[in-house]
Amino acid sequence: MAKISIVQNILAANDDVAREIRQTLQARGLRTINMMSSAGAGKTTLLEQTIRHLNGRLRLGVIEGDVETAADAERIDAAGGESVQIITQGACHLEAHMVRAALTQIDLEAIDMLFVENVGNLVCPAGWDLGEDLKAVVVSTTEGDDKPAKYPHMFAASQVMIINKIDLLPYVDYDLSAVKRFALAVNPRLRIFELSCRTGEGLAAWYEWLLAFAHAKTEVSEEAEVGG
Amino acid sequence: MHELAIAESIVEGVTRHAQECRAQRVTSVRVQIGEASGIVNDSLAFSFEMIANMEPLLNGANLVIERVPHRARCRHCNKEFDVIHFIAQCPTCETWDTNIISGTELRILDMEIEASKD
């Protein structure tokens, strides 16, 4: 019986691919956001709105991750974005090798910035580096205000939090300040946007930030602390 | 929920190393799992057993899990403290200006093998 030392990250294989993706995208000056949320928070709707609004100013590519169907990629295409659909066939999160394969199907010359829309899930996606510059988590006022407290990994791993559906605040029991307090408690550096894709409220600040980010005028905060 | 994927990655990583050193069989694998990684020991042990048993080199291998506490260090007073529920606020000077120093590990440490007879 012999003891052999290994000492390597369990996700080393994923991290290697993520590093390769990061190098590919950085070499082209393409900034990338890994967008995560529970199912139904409004990731795709926010991307549709963003693509339409920034038409002519910022060309967005979207890699769509879903368990089944290409419906979201079709929505992105209809909005005028460049999209590739990854169907995970049951897997609850995207891994770097899936993104690498998807990148070969997207015309990187035709975009100024890339979004990876992860599988709708507040648990697993936080753990896998996809080669992104930052992670953004979307929550919505219809999901309940306990999400940052229940899923702290996601909020600790993200640099941006978007609170969607704020137009519904008068109709739901959602304590906006508690959500922000909890999220900032697990991640004091989190940048927060409050908006409604339905009414357009709050979207201007998001667009402004995104344009600056895409043109590398925004510092990318330090690497995610969880999952790396 | 993603313990299965983590177990797969452990088995893949260990299998590669075991093949490199021409092991006949891996009898035990030791991993470090940080408290803040979101991985549940029992689920990981269950997933590992299932996946290891599909791999001849690792069939029956034992998984030893070392938990690493979630700890942070204050950038002002240098105090090191336990992070409870992901809240990394210094208990002494109450600042949020702190660095996570442990608890996010997902690491394969070592393995015990039966060496090849030749």
Side-chain angles (χ1 to χ4, degrees), chain A residues 134-214:
Chain A
L134 67 76
K135 292 180 165 75
V137 56
V138 183
V139 294
S140 66
T141 60
T142 50
E143 291 167 45
D145 49 23
D146 53 1
K147 294 299 168 284
K150 277 188 169 173
Y151 302 94
H153 306 87
M154 178 57 74
F155 295 85
S158 299
Q159 291 81 30
V160 169
M161 173 170 79
I162 294 156
I163 305 174
N164 188 20
K165 309 186 191 179
I166 56 166
D167 55 306
L168 297 178
L169 280 172
Y171 314 106
V172 290
D173 292 323
Y174 192 82
D175 186 340
L176 191 61
S177 63
V179 169
K180 291 193 279 185
R181 200 167 58 244
F182 270 120
L184 289 171
V186 299
N187 187 351
R189 300 176 189 101
L190 201 60
R191 177 184 289 273
I192 301 176
F193 295 94
E194 298 164 34
L195 50 84
S196 163
C197 288
R198 192 163 155 273
T199 64
E201 187 182 351
L203 282 172
W206 159 250
Y207 296 144
E208 192 185 336
W209 175 82
L210 192 65
L211 282 168
F213 172 78

Side-chain angles (χ1 to χ4, degrees), chain A residues 1-11 92-93 95 121 124 128 152-153 156 185-186 188-189 225-226 228, chain B residues 1-2 5-6 9-10 16-17 27 36 38 75 85-87 96 98 100 104 106-113:
Chain A
M1 198 85 79
K3 184 172 259 187
I4 310 283
S5 174
I6 297 177
V7 193
Q8 72 171 39
N9 190 333
I10 291 174
L11 296 178
C92 51
H93 60 269
E95 297 186 12
N121 173 357
C124 317
W128 272 263
H153 306 87
V186 299
R189 300 176 189 101
E225 284 169 349
V226 169
Chain B
M1 197 173 180
H2 51 301
I6 297 293
S9 297
I10 295 172
R16 208 178 59 246
H17 283 278
T27 54
R75 291 202 220 189
H85 298 310
F86 279 80
I87 296 177
W96 295 95
T98 57
I100 300 296
T104 61
L106 282 177
R107 199 175 285 145
I108 306 171
L109 291 178
D110 51 39
M111 61 181 176
E112 283 183 20
I113 60 166

Side-chain angles (χ1 to χ4, degrees), chain B residues 21-78:
Chain B
C21 53
R22 303 175 67 215
Q24 188 139 22
R25 211 168 76 84
V26 177
T27 54
S28 182
V29 177
R30 199 159 58 101
V31 295
Q32 247 181 357
I33 303 293
E35 268 179 1
S37 65
I39 298 298
V40 180
N41 277 16
D42 285 353
S43 308
L44 180 60
F46 176 78
S47 303
F48 177 83
E49 189 184 337
M50 192 168 70
I51 294 170
N53 286 348
M54 295 191 288
E55 180 62 53
L57 264 177
L58 272 86
N59 196 348
N62 184 34
L63 182 71
V64 179
I65 303 174
E66 282 185 8
R67 295 294 286 196
V68 185
H70 198 188
R71 303 263 300 163
R73 183 187 297 119
C74 178
R75 291 202 220 189
H76 292 278
C77 69
N78 274 327

Side-chain angles (χ1 to χ4, degrees), chain A residues 89-130:
Chain A
Q89 294 180 317
C92 51
H93 60 269
L94 292 180
E95 297 186 12
H97 66 89
M98 303 175 186
V99 173
R100 181 174 61 186
L103 279 176
T104 64
Q105 297 168 53
I106 204 160
D107 181 4
L108 297 179
E109 296 292 333
I111 60 173
D112 303 314
M113 193 201 144
L114 182 68
F115 276 94
V116 180
E117 188 182 329
N118 221 310
V119 179
N121 173 357
L122 281 178
V123 186
C124 317
W128 272 263
D129 184 358
L130 303 181

Side-chain angles (χ1 to χ4, degrees), chain A residues 67-84:
Chain A
V67 172
E68 286 295 348
T69 85
D72 282 1
E74 286 160 15
R75 286 170 61 186
I76 295 299
D77 287 343
E82 287 279 324
S83 76
V84 183

